[in-house]
Amino acid sequence: MSPSRRPFASEVVLPAPARRWRVQTRAFAWLLAFFVAAAAPLAWVASATLQASIHRGYAERALRESQVVAAQAVVRAALTDGVHVVARVNPLANALRTQLGADYVVVTDVRGVRVAHPEADRLGERMVGGDFTSFRAGRSVTETVLGTLGMSVRAKVPVWSADGRVVGLASVGFLLPRLRDVFWDVVRAGAPWYAGIMVLALLGAHALSLGVRREMFGLEPEQIASVAVQYRTVLHALEEGVVVLRGDMVHYLNPQAAQLVGGPPGALPVPLAALLPDVDVRAWRHGAHDNVPLSVRGVPVLANVRVAPDGARVVTLRDHARVRALADELTQAQRYAELLRAQTHEFTNRLHTLAGLLHLGEVDAALSLIYERERRQSARRDAVVPLRHLHLMALLLGKFERAEELGVTLTLDPLSALPEGVDAATLDAVELAVGNLVQNAFDATLGVHGARVRLLVAADPEGVQVEVQDNGPGVPPTVQAHLGTRGVSSKGAGRGVGLALVRDRAAALGGTLAYDRRAGMTVFTLTLPFREDA
């Protein structure tokens, strides 16, 4: 065991209690006792189960095959007229016995006197053992009895005459092995497997116990080494930085937190002021806090504070840029999902319409619908081509579908065009703005008669402009003062995210997002300068 592992274990676990046996010895002994104790009853249960299965299978087979024998026309006729019964029935019964693979086939008259038997000297004698009243009453039975040939399972089936009288019985039987023979057969067949499994289990227990002891830093299971390993692994695997405070002192930093604050200056614990001089720790003394904005070495972060039962405070630090990027990705994914849903809905409606027209035999009308749809799609494709950038073009085509579904007239200004060479960050911001601003315009015009939305995406020597107009009621005056603030929206609680994302992205790129109301139209204008480093 490496020296570096022992100090870590000694910091987080208590000394092991005194024991005579080590963990691998105890595991080996327990497994050995378990397998020895389980082997015998398992073999007995397997033997009993096999015996019961054999008995049921033979009984069902005996009944079926007895019914076959009783249904033979020669058997029924011979037992009915009583003429040369043995000569007519016995050869047939022995042939059926060979064909069916039975141990014996016996046929008797209604008195129980054998007229067919595998041993000729038994002919003319009464059949022995079991129930002889049921077949005379017309009932079939299966039974396990000791007969002249030994212990067997057999069936007794009445033989019926043509006029519905019982004239005899047919019995097919199978000799059963004794239970102890079955038991020892199972033991002999299963003993190598039991022995092999036991050896493998014991070897595995020994190897496992050695591995467990090694992975637990040479400590016994009663110690909390596994808990310490899990605790340390989880903290190191988190993307967020984790800081544990007691009072004003930092007692723990995970690697992500150490990277954010520049690493602890010396051994822990250290004062929080040495790592985060701009943080007022007094504000965190009581209760939990969520998404507290901080600046750590010039990097904006969000802090969450939780108080442990022992009074320690756990602070998680998340890179604000990373959080914003994840929010942007989620917004984009939701927007694409909504566009796909709208396209699917629209195409399904069109297909249903086409199917109905074709069922009605209106081929010309169906073709006209297809051509009109293609003309409209072609016009939309031609309109978005000057934008040059595939993702933006695809987004707008989806927005056209969504507008048609909502009953809104969406128009792309003929002057819309973008040059080649626009940098990826600006394009991403344009795409984010178009998606959110156009969707907001759709929401604003719901219920408005003659709802209209107009979009302009253009560029000049200074940069890129995105302008979205709609004939909705506009932004309420009470909201305008806080427009673009996360969570502030005229749509109610839980909204106000998209516009905030657009504003933040524009600000990060040195651009602006403006709101205006002119000529009865709501106008949002995004301006993004061309980046010099693009």
Side-chain angles (χ1 to χ4, degrees):
M1 183 176 303
S2 65
S4 62
R5 292 166 68 88
R6 284 191 181 275
F8 169 72
S10 63
E11 291 173 2
V12 294
V13 298
L14 299 174
R19 284 184 177 271
R20 289 181 297 176
W21 287 4
R22 295 185 302 174
V23 59
Q24 59 263 42
T25 306
R26 278 180 281 159
F28 188 91
W30 275 108
L31 283 173
L32 178 62
F34 172 80
F35 275 92
V36 170
L42 285 176
W44 177 262
V45 170
S47 171
T49 302
L50 179 60
Q51 179 70 17
S53 177
I54 291 173
H55 185 277
R56 287 194 302 271
Y58 279 7
E60 293 170 359
R61 182 178 172 187
L63 180 61
R64 291 193 303 270
E65 295 180 359
S66 296
Q67 291 169 343
V68 171
V69 175
Q72 298 296 313
V74 172
V75 173
R76 297 176 64 189
L79 290 175
T80 300
D81 58 32
V83 178
H84 305 299
V85 179
V86 174
R88 295 160 66 187
V89 175
N90 195 47
L92 175 61
N94 287 324
L96 288 174
R97 175 174 59 84
T98 302
Q99 182 179 355
L100 297 174
D103 290 318
Y104 62 83
V105 175
V106 175
V107 180
T108 75
D109 59 18
V110 73
R111 298 170 300 164
V113 176
R114 299 185 184 102
V115 296
H117 194 276
E119 297 178 0
D121 57 349
R122 303 289 185 180
L123 295 172
E125 298 179 356
R126 285 186 177 277
M127 188 177 184
V128 297
D131 179 9
F132 288 93
T133 58
S134 295
F135 90 91
R136 293 189 179 97
R139 297 191 302 270
S140 301
V141 295
T142 58
E143 54 190 14
T144 301
V145 296
L146 179 62
T148 56
L149 298 179
M151 184 66 70
S152 65
V153 59
R154 67 187 181 188
K156 292 177 180 176
V157 176
V159 179
W160 300 86
S161 65
D163 57 0
R165 293 179 297 109
V166 176
V167 294
L169 73 82
S171 178
V172 175
F174 300 91
L175 299 176
L176 289 177
R178 289 176 296 179
L179 185 60
R180 62 175 177 272
D181 294 335
V182 177
F183 176 79
W184 289 113
D185 287 342
V186 172
V187 170
R188 285 191 292 270
W193 294 99
Y194 279 114
I197 292 173
M198 184 178 294
V199 170
L200 288 176
L202 296 178
L203 290 175
H206 182 65
L208 178 62
S209 62
L210 291 177
V212 168
R213 185 173 177 82
R214 182 172 57 252
E215 290 299 322
M216 293 173 61
F217 315 108
L219 305 172
E220 293 299 322
E222 291 77 10
Q223 301 173 280
I224 60 172
S226 60
V227 176
V229 171
Q230 293 173 11
Y231 170 80
R232 186 183 188 189
T233 302
V234 169
L235 289 176
H236 283 229
L238 291 174
E239 291 188 3
E240 294 87 355
V242 178
V243 182
V244 178
L245 302 174
R246 289 187 181 275
D248 297 339
M249 304 296 291
V250 176
H251 283 258
Y252 178 80
L253 289 172
N254 74 341
Q256 291 76 9
Q259 184 177 4
L260 278 174
V261 303
L268 296 174
V270 297
L272 178 63
L275 300 178
L276 302 174
D278 299 329
V279 174
D280 184 6
V281 72
R282 292 175 296 179
W284 296 352
R285 290 188 185 279
H286 304 287
H289 303 270
D290 292 317
N291 295 327
V292 179
L294 300 176
S295 178
V296 179
R297 301 172 62 204
V299 177
V301 300
L302 296 176
N304 291 334
V305 183
R306 295 291 182 270
V307 180
D310 63 353
R313 283 161 296 163
V314 180
V315 182
T316 58
L317 303 174
R318 294 178 294 165
D319 188 339
H320 191 209
R322 174 63 175 163
V323 175
R324 186 172 61 189
L326 290 175
D328 289 352
E329 291 177 8
L330 178 60
T331 300
Q332 297 280 22
Q334 291 174 335
R335 184 166 67 244
Y336 287 137
E338 179 67 18
L339 294 178
L340 289 174
R341 190 198 65 78
Q343 287 185 336
T344 301
H345 185 268
E346 179 69 16
F347 291 152
T348 301
N349 288 339
R350 296 297 180 185
L351 288 175
H352 289 169
T353 303
L354 288 173
L357 291 172
L358 293 175
H359 278 300
L360 294 172
E362 298 292 339
V363 178
D364 291 340
L367 290 174
S368 176
L369 180 63
I370 293 172
Y371 293 148
E372 172 61 22
R373 182 66 180 172
E374 173 57 26
R375 183 197 64 76
R376 192 181 309 169
Q377 290 289 353
S378 178
R380 291 173 179 174
R381 287 194 298 269
D382 292 343
V384 301
V385 164
L387 297 177
R388 298 176 180 272
H389 300 284
L390 184 61
H391 289 181
L392 183 58
M393 294 162 59
L395 174 63
L396 282 177
L397 290 176
K399 288 297 184 183
F400 277 119
E401 298 288 346
R402 180 60 175 161
E404 189 170 345
E405 182 183 10
L406 295 174
V408 178
T409 300
L410 174 61
T411 304
L412 180 63
D413 194 295
L415 297 178
S416 294
L418 287 177
E420 292 286 356
V422 179
D423 64 279
T426 300
L427 283 176
D428 186 60
V430 169
E431 186 180 347
L432 178 68
V434 169
N436 281 285
L437 295 179
V438 171
Q439 184 60 50
N440 288 346
F442 288 165
D443 294 340
T445 55
L446 287 179
V448 175
H449 179 69
R452 303 190 311 278
V453 176
R454 187 176 185 86
L455 170 67
L456 169 67
V457 182
D460 59 25
E462 300 298 325
V464 178
Q465 290 79 39
V466 176
E467 183 178 274
V468 178
Q469 303 180 28
D470 68 76
N471 63 340
V475 179
T478 55
V479 178
Q480 291 182 19
H482 305 284
L483 195 62
T485 302
R486 186 179 297 269
V488 176
S489 173
S490 60
K491 305 172 190 175
R495 306 298 294 271
V497 176
L499 203 59
L501 288 175
V502 175
R503 186 203 63 178
D504 291 348
R505 185 65 63 84
L509 297 175
T512 59
L513 176 64
Y515 164 75
D516 193 12
R517 182 78 179 172
R518 57 176 183 261
M521 301 289 286
T522 299
V523 182
F524 280 92
T525 304
L526 173 74
T527 302
L528 296 173
F530 286 127
R531 300 174 65 193
E532 296 180 358
D533 58 344

